Amino acid sequence: MSGVWVFKNGVVRLVENPGADAVEGGGRQASAVRRKVLVHRATNEVITNYAALETKLRSLGWERYYDDPELLQFHKRSTVHLISLPKDFTKFKSMHMYDIVVKNKNSFEVRDM
């Protein structure tokens, strides 16, 4: 998990992109919010849905597991790695992207959009 812990109005929360919020009392304006995207390096394709991701992972030797109905899971027989993703693509966050990148070093990368 990466980001900055912010304490504001008696509540602590994790801000994943701290540059997106204006700094209170500092007089600085916030930079534009840049979201992260997962990119398949060979085709330079931005992964926009799980169907596209599953196609790319299968071509790299990953197999789909259907054990948990709440998750999309992929396993590669030659390793102990398991990729677990939320079933809903709108909950696909940068930590999931980096998990895929680490387990497929030369195939994917995370970029700012």
Side-chain angles (χ1 to χ4, degrees), residues 89-113:
F89 190 77
T90 61
K91 296 179 180 170
F92 183 63
K93 304 293 181 199
S94 62
M95 72 174 190
H96 302 109
M97 296 177 196
Y98 285 114
D99 185 39
I100 293 168
V101 169
V102 166
K103 294 172 181 167
N104 299 279
K105 290 182 180 24
N106 297 318
S107 300
F108 293 96
E109 64 183 24
V110 176
R111 295 183 190 162
D112 287 327
M113 205 56 168

Short mmCIF file of all heavy atoms in Angstrom, two decimals, residues 89-113:
data_model
loop_
_atom_site.label_atom_id
_atom_site.label_comp_id
_atom_site.label_asym_id
_atom_site.label_seq_id
_atom_site.Cartn_x
_atom_site.Cartn_y
_atom_site.Cartn_z
N PHE A 89 -14.37 -4.46 -12.02
CA PHE A 89 -13.22 -3.76 -12.61
C PHE A 89 -13.09 -2.33 -12.10
O PHE A 89 -12.00 -1.78 -12.08
CB PHE A 89 -13.31 -3.77 -14.14
CG PHE A 89 -12.05 -3.30 -14.81
CD1 PHE A 89 -10.95 -4.13 -14.90
CD2 PHE A 89 -11.96 -2.03 -15.34
CE1 PHE A 89 -9.77 -3.70 -15.51
CE2 PHE A 89 -10.79 -1.58 -15.95
CZ PHE A 89 -9.69 -2.43 -16.03
N THR A 90 -14.19 -1.71 -11.65
CA THR A 90 -14.10 -0.34 -11.13
C THR A 90 -13.31 -0.29 -9.82
O THR A 90 -12.88 0.77 -9.40
CB THR A 90 -15.49 0.29 -10.91
OG1 THR A 90 -16.21 -0.51 -9.96
CG2 THR A 90 -16.27 0.37 -12.21
N LYS A 91 -13.12 -1.44 -9.18
CA LYS A 91 -12.33 -1.51 -7.95
C LYS A 91 -10.90 -1.97 -8.21
O LYS A 91 -10.14 -2.22 -7.27
CB LYS A 91 -13.01 -2.45 -6.95
CG LYS A 91 -14.36 -1.92 -6.52
CD LYS A 91 -15.04 -2.84 -5.56
CE LYS A 91 -16.39 -2.24 -5.18
NZ LYS A 91 -17.23 -3.15 -4.45
N PHE A 92 -10.52 -2.06 -9.46
CA PHE A 92 -9.16 -2.43 -9.88
C PHE A 92 -8.26 -1.21 -9.66
O PHE A 92 -8.37 -0.21 -10.36
CB PHE A 92 -9.21 -2.84 -11.35
CG PHE A 92 -7.92 -3.33 -11.94
CD1 PHE A 92 -7.30 -4.46 -11.46
CD2 PHE A 92 -7.34 -2.66 -13.00
CE1 PHE A 92 -6.12 -4.92 -12.02
CE2 PHE A 92 -6.16 -3.10 -13.57
CZ PHE A 92 -5.56 -4.24 -13.09
N LYS A 93 -7.41 -1.27 -8.65
CA LYS A 93 -6.59 -0.13 -8.22
C LYS A 93 -5.13 -0.32 -8.60
O LYS A 93 -4.71 -1.37 -9.07
CB LYS A 93 -6.71 0.05 -6.70
CG LYS A 93 -8.13 0.22 -6.21
CD LYS A 93 -8.72 1.52 -6.69
CE LYS A 93 -10.13 1.68 -6.15
NZ LYS A 93 -10.89 2.62 -6.87
N SER A 94 -4.33 0.70 -8.33
CA SER A 94 -2.92 0.65 -8.69
C SER A 94 -2.18 -0.48 -7.98
O SER A 94 -1.26 -1.06 -8.55
CB SER A 94 -2.25 1.99 -8.41
OG SER A 94 -2.31 2.30 -7.04
N MET A 95 -2.58 -0.83 -6.76
CA MET A 95 -1.89 -1.93 -6.07
C MET A 95 -2.08 -3.24 -6.82
O MET A 95 -1.18 -4.08 -6.86
CB MET A 95 -2.33 -2.07 -4.62
CG MET A 95 -3.70 -2.61 -4.40
SD MET A 95 -3.98 -2.86 -2.64
CE MET A 95 -5.49 -3.76 -2.71
N HIS A 96 -3.25 -3.44 -7.45
CA HIS A 96 -3.48 -4.63 -8.26
C HIS A 96 -2.62 -4.59 -9.53
O HIS A 96 -2.07 -5.60 -9.95
CB HIS A 96 -4.96 -4.75 -8.64
CG HIS A 96 -5.87 -4.80 -7.45
ND1 HIS A 96 -6.69 -3.75 -7.13
CD2 HIS A 96 -6.07 -5.75 -6.51
CE1 HIS A 96 -7.37 -4.06 -6.04
NE2 HIS A 96 -7.01 -5.26 -5.64
N MET A 97 -2.51 -3.40 -10.11
CA MET A 97 -1.69 -3.24 -11.31
C MET A 97 -0.23 -3.58 -11.02
O MET A 97 0.41 -4.31 -11.78
CB MET A 97 -1.79 -1.80 -11.82
CG MET A 97 -3.16 -1.41 -12.29
SD MET A 97 -3.18 0.32 -12.78
CE MET A 97 -4.93 0.64 -12.82
N TYR A 98 0.28 -3.05 -9.91
CA TYR A 98 1.69 -3.31 -9.56
C TYR A 98 1.92 -4.79 -9.23
O TYR A 98 2.98 -5.33 -9.50
CB TYR A 98 2.15 -2.40 -8.42
CG TYR A 98 2.39 -0.99 -8.88
CD1 TYR A 98 1.60 0.05 -8.43
CD2 TYR A 98 3.39 -0.70 -9.80
CE1 TYR A 98 1.80 1.35 -8.87
CE2 TYR A 98 3.62 0.59 -10.24
CZ TYR A 98 2.82 1.62 -9.77
OH TYR A 98 3.04 2.90 -10.21
N ASP A 99 0.92 -5.45 -8.67
CA ASP A 99 1.02 -6.88 -8.41
C ASP A 99 1.21 -7.64 -9.72
O ASP A 99 2.05 -8.54 -9.82
CB ASP A 99 -0.22 -7.37 -7.67
CG ASP A 99 -0.14 -8.82 -7.25
OD1 ASP A 99 0.95 -9.27 -6.82
OD2 ASP A 99 -1.15 -9.53 -7.34
N ILE A 100 0.45 -7.27 -10.74
CA ILE A 100 0.58 -7.90 -12.05
C ILE A 100 1.94 -7.60 -12.67
O ILE A 100 2.58 -8.49 -13.23
CB ILE A 100 -0.57 -7.43 -12.98
CG1 ILE A 100 -1.90 -7.97 -12.46
CG2 ILE A 100 -0.32 -7.86 -14.42
CD1 ILE A 100 -3.12 -7.35 -13.09
N VAL A 101 2.39 -6.36 -12.55
CA VAL A 101 3.69 -5.97 -13.11
C VAL A 101 4.83 -6.76 -12.46
O VAL A 101 5.71 -7.29 -13.15
CB VAL A 101 3.93 -4.45 -12.95
CG1 VAL A 101 5.37 -4.08 -13.26
CG2 VAL A 101 2.97 -3.67 -13.84
N VAL A 102 4.81 -6.88 -11.14
CA VAL A 102 5.88 -7.59 -10.44
C VAL A 102 5.93 -9.06 -10.86
O VAL A 102 7.01 -9.64 -11.00
CB VAL A 102 5.68 -7.46 -8.90
CG1 VAL A 102 6.55 -8.44 -8.15
CG2 VAL A 102 5.98 -6.04 -8.46
N LYS A 103 4.78 -9.65 -11.10
CA LYS A 103 4.72 -11.07 -11.44
C LYS A 103 4.88 -11.33 -12.94
O LYS A 103 4.96 -12.47 -13.37
CB LYS A 103 3.42 -11.67 -10.92
CG LYS A 103 3.40 -11.65 -9.40
CD LYS A 103 2.08 -12.04 -8.82
CE LYS A 103 2.16 -11.97 -7.29
NZ LYS A 103 0.86 -12.04 -6.66
N ASN A 104 4.93 -10.26 -13.73
CA ASN A 104 5.12 -10.35 -15.19
C ASN A 104 6.03 -9.21 -15.62
O ASN A 104 5.62 -8.32 -16.36
CB ASN A 104 3.78 -10.24 -15.92
CG ASN A 104 2.82 -11.33 -15.55
OD1 ASN A 104 2.89 -12.43 -16.06
ND2 ASN A 104 1.91 -11.03 -14.63
N LYS A 105 7.26 -9.23 -15.16
CA LYS A 105 8.16 -8.09 -15.25
C LYS A 105 8.29 -7.45 -16.64
O LYS A 105 8.33 -6.25 -16.77
CB LYS A 105 9.53 -8.49 -14.74
CG LYS A 105 9.54 -8.70 -13.25
CD LYS A 105 10.93 -9.05 -12.77
CE LYS A 105 11.06 -9.29 -11.31
NZ LYS A 105 9.95 -9.69 -10.53
N ASN A 106 8.39 -8.24 -17.68
CA ASN A 106 8.64 -7.68 -19.01
C ASN A 106 7.39 -7.54 -19.86
O ASN A 106 7.48 -7.16 -21.01
CB ASN A 106 9.66 -8.55 -19.75
CG ASN A 106 10.99 -8.57 -19.03
OD1 ASN A 106 11.45 -7.53 -18.57
ND2 ASN A 106 11.59 -9.73 -18.91
N SER A 107 6.23 -7.83 -19.29
CA SER A 107 5.01 -7.84 -20.10
C SER A 107 4.08 -6.67 -19.84
O SER A 107 3.32 -6.28 -20.73
CB SER A 107 4.25 -9.14 -19.85
OG SER A 107 5.05 -10.24 -20.20
N PHE A 108 4.10 -6.13 -18.64
CA PHE A 108 3.18 -5.04 -18.28
C PHE A 108 3.95 -3.91 -17.61
O PHE A 108 5.02 -4.11 -17.06
CB PHE A 108 2.11 -5.53 -17.31
CG PHE A 108 1.15 -6.53 -17.89
CD1 PHE A 108 1.35 -7.89 -17.73
CD2 PHE A 108 0.03 -6.10 -18.60
CE1 PHE A 108 0.48 -8.82 -18.27
CE2 PHE A 108 -0.85 -7.01 -19.13
CZ PHE A 108 -0.63 -8.38 -18.97
N GLU A 109 3.35 -2.73 -17.64
CA GLU A 109 3.87 -1.60 -16.86
C GLU A 109 2.69 -0.71 -16.46
O GLU A 109 1.63 -0.75 -17.08
CB GLU A 109 4.92 -0.81 -17.64
CG GLU A 109 4.43 -0.12 -18.87
CD GLU A 109 5.55 0.59 -19.64
OE1 GLU A 109 6.72 0.22 -19.51
OE2 GLU A 109 5.21 1.52 -20.37
N VAL A 110 2.92 0.08 -15.42
CA VAL A 110 1.90 1.01 -14.94
C VAL A 110 2.35 2.41 -15.37
O VAL A 110 3.49 2.79 -15.19
CB VAL A 110 1.74 0.94 -13.41
CG1 VAL A 110 0.76 1.98 -12.92
CG2 VAL A 110 1.30 -0.45 -12.98
N ARG A 111 1.41 3.14 -15.96
CA ARG A 111 1.70 4.50 -16.42
C ARG A 111 0.69 5.47 -15.82
O ARG A 111 -0.44 5.11 -15.53
CB ARG A 111 1.62 4.59 -17.94
CG ARG A 111 2.65 3.79 -18.68
CD ARG A 111 2.51 4.01 -20.17
NE ARG A 111 3.35 3.08 -20.91
CZ ARG A 111 3.19 2.79 -22.19
NH1 ARG A 111 2.21 3.39 -22.87
NH2 ARG A 111 3.98 1.93 -22.78
N ASP A 112 1.11 6.74 -15.72
CA ASP A 112 0.18 7.82 -15.36
C ASP A 112 -0.54 8.24 -16.63
O ASP A 112 0.06 8.38 -17.68
CB ASP A 112 0.93 9.02 -14.79
CG ASP A 112 1.46 8.76 -13.40
OD1 ASP A 112 0.79 8.02 -12.65
OD2 ASP A 112 2.53 9.28 -13.06
N MET A 113 -1.82 8.45 -16.50
CA MET A 113 -2.62 8.87 -17.64
C MET A 113 -3.01 10.31 -17.48
O MET A 113 -3.27 10.81 -16.45
CB MET A 113 -3.85 7.99 -17.73
CG MET A 113 -4.43 7.89 -19.07
SD MET A 113 -3.23 7.33 -20.25
CE MET A 113 -4.30 7.01 -21.58
#
